[in-house]
């Protein structure tokens, strides 16, 4: 039986913990904040800085580690664990640049599959911003920070910024923060997520497709969030994504993995997430993530019918096989604090759960004190419904939503009309 160090404390990591636990692994978890769901599934729980996993006592008892969130990947945690002789499911800092530098990702894609990029400009100098705006066109502009922003950094003209001055102010701030910013053309179409497992020999196996809903409010409006919910179909596809579209998307991910190996000399391993948009001009890449999506991890791991522990071993050994998933649809709905996302977010408010929960409940960014669960400034609880159709899965998730009480809100239209 394996003993696994799980790094992270969100709902994604709660879902990883549940899958590992189901496959018989013993879990040691390192959390920035005690997630009550992960804690219950763990043999040992540690609270501390996620980037400092090496300082956990008796690390030699661990068979391998798995890193959930992007920030420790960016800081090179996988590299440091490997130096200590502990294998880790997750990419090295250099190969994680597919997520951690949007400039790196766009330029790599430009060299391997330029047609999957929107028109874009990398701007490094504040004095070049005006020209770059004109080259893309103000009305069509998307501003994308180079570095990590927790899903909240992308600004679309007319929705999040409304004038040239606002564009300049935000872009300048991002150049000061990251050294560069990307301006890209606003693409129009429908998004989908493809998550793949990648082993140390470069074998790639895909997981069910997921559609996520990043905007804060019903009707897909408002600021971007970490995501407010998601769904997947019992077929593991999505009606609007053809076989050709999927082949194209998988081809892009495989090319990206090969491209990273060529220009870093290191093999990408772990999970690679591709967010794509189906547009009238073909399949385009919105972004890559070097980890499971959150909430997309819940959609796929809750129907995983293979051993998660075995999958992790195979990723590390380079012997990955096709995993199997139950033929079920899933709908995930996020419950967030009132005021999320934004400065008025109501954190440190108690949440209570009344009655029996029939769906799966994953704790996200909450903490427990004296038996009471409190919100933070981020997403609080994910409810995941499963069923033989999206409609059934949706009913299962929403049936439980009123049982969660507190200063919270959610989107009522996740997977409605699909
Ligand atoms: P990201 O953080 O890159 O996933 O972007 C957040 C959201 O912004 C995406 O889910 C898209 O809805 C939107 N977005 C990002 N880039 C573009 C683009 N070039 N065109 C249209 N929408 C975009
Ligand atoms: N669902 C989007 C993300 O995990 O970044």
């Amino acid at each position: 039986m394996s003993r696994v160090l799980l790094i992270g404390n969100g709902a994604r990591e709660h879902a990883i913990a549940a899958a590992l636990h189901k496959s018989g692994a013993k879990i040691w978890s390192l959390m920035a904040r005690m997630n009550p769901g992960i804690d219950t599934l763990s043999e040992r729980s540690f609270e501390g800085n996620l980037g400092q996993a090496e300082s956990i006592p008796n690390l030699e008892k661990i068979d391998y580690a798995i890193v959930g969130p992007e920030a420790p990947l960016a800081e090179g945690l996988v590299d440091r664990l490997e130096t200590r002789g502990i294998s880790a499911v997750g990419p090295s800092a250099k190969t994680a640049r597919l997520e951690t530098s949007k400039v790196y990702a766009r330029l790599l894609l430009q060299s391997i599959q330029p047609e999957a990029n929107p028109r874009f400009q990398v701007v490094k100098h504040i004095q070049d911003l005006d020209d770059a705006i004109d080259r893309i066109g103000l009305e069509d502009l998307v501003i994308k920070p180079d570095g990590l922003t927790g899903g909240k950094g992308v600004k679309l003209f007319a929705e999040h910024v409304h004038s040239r001055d606002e564009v300049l102010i935000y872009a300048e701030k991002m150049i000061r923060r990251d050294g560069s910013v990307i301006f890209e053309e606003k693409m129009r179409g429908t998004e989908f997520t493809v998550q793949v497992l990648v082993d140390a020999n470069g074998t790639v196996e895909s997981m069910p497709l997921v559609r996520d809903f990043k905007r804060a409010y019903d009707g897909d409006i408002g600021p971007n969030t970490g995501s407010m919910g998601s769904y997947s179909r019992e077929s593991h596809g999505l009606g609007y994504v053809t076989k050709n579209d999927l082949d194209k998307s998988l081809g892009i991910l495989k090319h990206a993995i090969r491209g990273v190996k060529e220009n870093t000399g290191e093999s990408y391993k772990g999970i690679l997430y591709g967010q794509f948009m189906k547009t009238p001009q073909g399949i385009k890449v919105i972004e890559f993530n070097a980890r499971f999506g959150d909430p997309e991890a819940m959609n796929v791991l809750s129907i995983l019918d293979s051993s998660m522990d075995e999958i992790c071993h195979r990723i590390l050994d380079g012997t990955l096989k096709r995993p199997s998933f139950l033929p079920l649809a899933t709908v995930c709905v996020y419950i967030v604090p009132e005021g999320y996302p934004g400065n008025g977010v109501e954190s440190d408010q108690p949440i209570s759960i009344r009655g029996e929960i029939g769906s799966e409940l994953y704790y996200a960014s909450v903490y427990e004190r004296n038996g009471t669960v409190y919100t933070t400034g981020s997403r609080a609880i994910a409810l995941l419904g499963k069923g033989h159709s999206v409609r059934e899965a949706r009913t299962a998730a929403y049936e439980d939503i009123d049982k969660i009480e507190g200063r919270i809100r959610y989107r009522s239209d996740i997977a409605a009309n699909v």
Side-chain angles (χ1 to χ4, degrees):
M1 187 188 301
S2 308
R3 184 169 279 123
V4 187
L5 175 63
L6 170 62
I7 290 140
N9 49 275
R12 167 185 43 216
E13 289 76 29
H14 188 177
I16 296 171
L20 283 169
H21 190 261
K22 192 172 148 203
S23 59
K26 287 201 160 111
I27 301 167
W28 284 18
S29 48
L30 174 61
M31 299 181 262
R33 214 180 278 112
M34 232 5 123
N35 175 315
I38 299 174
D39 186 37
T40 305
L41 296 170
S42 300
E43 181 186 37
R44 294 194 63 184
S45 302
F46 301 88
E47 202 169 353
N49 183 337
L50 299 187
Q52 271 157 25
E54 312 99 288
S55 50
I56 286 181
N58 301 316
L59 258 198
E60 65 287 352
K61 294 192 175 155
I62 295 296
D63 292 294
Y64 63 89
I66 176 164
V67 184
E70 58 276 24
L73 295 172
E75 289 161 13
L77 178 59
V78 167
D79 311 62
R80 282 184 277 119
L81 285 169
E82 287 177 350
T83 307
R84 289 276 310 266
I86 295 164
S87 319
V89 176
S92 64
K94 275 191 194 156
T95 58
R97 276 167 61 76
L98 269 179
E99 168 166 11
T100 59
S101 169
K102 307 297 176 203
V103 171
Y104 176 80
R106 283 277 176 243
L107 294 177
L108 179 75
L109 191 56
Q110 198 63 15
S111 68
I112 54 177
Q113 215 123 31
E115 67 282 7
N117 262 336
R119 284 191 301 121
F120 72 99
Q121 293 273 318
V122 177
V123 193
K124 290 186 164 34
H125 303 290
I126 289 161
Q127 66 270 24
D128 297 337
L129 285 170
D130 257 315
D131 275 355
I133 294 176
D134 292 335
R135 277 198 290 275
I136 303 288
L138 182 62
E139 304 288 322
D140 257 343
L141 200 68
V142 174
I143 313 169
K144 192 166 278 191
D146 181 33
L148 297 176
T149 57
K152 300 171 198 93
V154 172
K155 306 279 180 212
L156 279 69
F157 188 79
E159 290 183 61
H160 311 120
V161 283
H162 300 90
S163 66
R164 182 178 275 263
D165 272 355
E166 276 180 38
V167 170
L168 289 170
I169 289 167
Y170 184 62
E172 194 176 318
K173 192 166 141 196
M174 290 302 114
I175 291 181
R176 289 193 201 285
R177 192 189 81 143
D178 295 336
S180 55
V181 69
I182 309 181
F183 282 164
E184 55 188 53
E185 158 199 24
K186 191 183 294 176
M187 301 181 281
R188 290 171 177 86
T190 315
E191 292 175 41
F192 58 96
T193 300
V194 185
Q195 298 174 100
V196 296
L197 303 161
V198 188
D199 81 9
N201 283 324
T203 300
V204 171
E205 292 292 349
S206 65
M207 295 184 264
L209 301 189
V210 185
R211 163 85 160 105
D212 89 327
F213 296 85
K214 275 204 156 70
R215 299 306 190 86
Y217 308 118
D218 281 19
D220 264 335
I221 55 170
N224 281 314
T225 66
S227 178
M228 297 295 290
S230 52
Y231 77 91
S232 67
R233 290 194 178 277
E234 63 281 15
S235 61
H236 302 162
L238 289 167
Y240 55 93
V241 180
T242 64
K243 167 141 191 344
N244 200 22
D245 295 337
L246 179 58
D247 289 347
K248 174 100 197 179
S249 311
L250 286 172
I252 291 170
L253 293 175
K254 288 178 185 167
H255 269 96
I257 291 162
R258 276 200 295 274
V260 164
K261 169 94 197 240
E262 271 165 32
N263 60 39
T264 64
E266 295 177 11
S267 299
Y268 188 100
K269 66 164 173 10
I271 293 94
L272 181 61
Y273 165 120
Q275 194 188 352
F276 297 94
M277 188 181 273
K278 182 173 166 119
T279 75
Q281 292 76 41
I283 298 297
K284 304 278 185 182
V285 172
I286 302 260
E287 67 166 356
F288 299 115
N289 289 328
R291 48 166 174 91
F292 277 114
D294 184 348
E296 290 94 332
M298 278 78 92
N299 298 91
V300 298
L301 292 176
S302 64
I303 56 167
L304 179 65
D305 199 26
S306 303
S307 157
M308 181 65 179
D309 180 37
E310 184 182 333
I311 289 173
C312 291
H313 276 293
R314 288 186 177 279
I315 287 175
L316 297 169
D317 298 346
T319 56
L320 189 61
K321 285 192 187 152
R322 172 154 303 177
S324 117
F325 294 88
L326 298 172
L328 292 175
T330 66
V331 172
C332 186
V333 184
Y334 249 119
I335 292 166
V336 301
E338 282 287 1
Y340 171 85
N343 296 333
V345 62
E346 297 192 20
S347 50
D348 305 299
Q349 299 296 317
I351 319 181
S352 49
I353 300 169
R354 303 253 174 258
E356 281 294 300
I357 298 287
S359 57
E360 292 178 13
L361 183 149
Y362 296 98
Y363 286 103
S365 196
V366 291
Y367 62 96
E368 192 170 359
R369 189 151 301 155
N370 303 326
T372 303
V373 175
Y374 292 89
T375 58
T376 65
S378 204
R379 297 174 292 174
I381 286 178
L383 290 175
L384 185 285
K386 293 193 279 202
H388 296 288
S389 63
V390 173
R391 184 189 288 255
E392 243 181 69
R394 184 169 195 276
T395 304
Y398 277 104
E399 235 162 42
D400 285 332
I401 213 137
D402 290 334
K403 298 177 191 157
I404 318 288
E405 294 180 350
R407 299 286 303 154
I408 45 146
R409 67 170 195 89
Y410 55 87
R411 265 182 70 165
S412 65
D413 65 345
I414 302 299
N417 321 313
V418 298

